[in-house]
Amino acid sequence: MDINQDIAQVLITEDQIAGRIKELGIQISKDYEGKELVLVAILKGASIFLADLVREISIPLSFDFVAISSYGADSRSSGVVRLLKDLDESIESKHVLVVEDIVDTGWTLRLSYIVENLRSRKAASVRVCTLLDKPSQRKVDVGIDYNGFTVEDKYVVGYGLDFNGKYRSLPYIGVLKPEVYGGG
Ligand code: 5GP
């Protein structure tokens, strides 16, 4: 079975992703020159983006991971977000760049939760870099400082993004065939 066969359409190719990440890497290297930079990726979706992004940043850096659980649909009303995996190192006085896979509605509150949480630990700065932005669905304003691509209102998979835990390993961003998610 080949997972590529479940994809109806490729929205962003592997080459386009690589090209944009190069640009982001150059910009981030410039913006953080002379500063102590820590990239904090939110598991699991941002892991592949992080791996490629750090290799395009030329200044010294370190990176760390957090895992957050938001309780599905409930979190939209309750705002309950739980930290499942915390940072390994202190970020006090460091410049933190949070690396996220996609910002959609902003409703799950994971991004604003993590930004507030990291700010409270006396980081010198906390900014956000997302691979994808889906602004058409935005309900809660979340500040994005670096954005890879703006995407239309479609459920996308690949390059770290999953559907039921699968498709993260696709090297491109695509849309599933309706029959795969029960829409057909
Ligand atoms: P938000 O709170 O911004 O609506 O949700 C953000 C999170 O929902 C993302 O980090 C991601 O885990 C998930 N998500 C939102 N849109 C998509 C999408 O199109 N595809 C996938 N795979 N996950 C999505």
Side-chain angles (χ1 to χ4, degrees):
M1 191 249 161
D2 182 338
I3 54 170
N4 292 278
Q5 287 169 2
D6 288 348
I7 300 301
Q9 189 195 352
V10 175
L11 290 185
I12 309 170
T13 66
E14 201 174 343
D15 281 355
Q16 287 172 318
I17 295 172
R20 183 69 185 119
I21 291 179
K22 265 190 203 313
E23 293 174 354
L24 287 172
I26 291 168
Q27 188 63 51
I28 291 166
S29 303
K30 231 183 250 171
D31 294 351
Y32 287 91
E33 177 68 51
K35 294 179 174 162
E36 199 170 349
L37 175 61
V38 185
L39 280 82
V40 173
I42 305 181
L43 292 170
K44 302 176 185 166
S47 56
I48 292 182
F49 178 34
L50 176 85
D52 283 343
L53 183 62
V54 291
R55 285 178 288 175
E56 299 297 342
I57 299 175
S58 53
I59 59 169
L61 62 80
S62 62
F63 60 80
D64 210 336
F65 297 93
V66 290
I68 315 170
S69 105
S70 44
Y71 290 109
D74 273 0
S75 65
R76 300 196 164 189
S77 47
S78 68
V80 175
V81 184
R82 216 157 47 96
L83 202 58
L84 297 179
K85 188 229 166 281
D86 204 345
L87 298 171
D88 292 336
E89 306 286 338
S90 164
I91 51 163
E92 189 168 339
S93 308
K94 296 180 183 166
H95 292 269
V96 175
L97 187 57
V98 178
V99 179
E100 174 66 304
D101 52 3
I102 184 167
V103 181
D104 189 358
T105 61
W107 243 341
T108 59
L109 299 177
R110 37 186 268 149
L111 198 52
S112 35
Y113 168 82
I114 202 68
V115 167
E116 284 316 309
N117 184 304
L118 297 178
R119 282 211 173 104
S120 73
R121 302 182 199 196
K122 304 195 179 91
S125 69
V126 181
R127 297 172 86 195
V128 172
C129 176
T130 185
L131 176 67
L132 304 176
D133 182 15
K134 223 194 258 183
S136 58
Q137 288 304 300
R138 193 67 36 78
K139 311 285 186 212
V140 176
D141 191 27
V142 282
I144 296 174
D145 301 285
Y146 302 92
N147 173 32
F149 300 91
T150 299
V151 288
E152 49 191 305
D153 181 24
K154 284 181 176 165
Y155 191 85
V156 295
V157 295
Y159 201 77
L161 288 143
D162 76 314
F163 173 67
N164 285 347
K166 288 200 293 185
Y167 306 105
R168 293 191 199 276
S169 53
L170 286 171
Y172 52 80
I173 304 282
V175 181
L176 288 172
K177 290 178 179 165
E179 58 263 34
V180 177
Y181 56 82

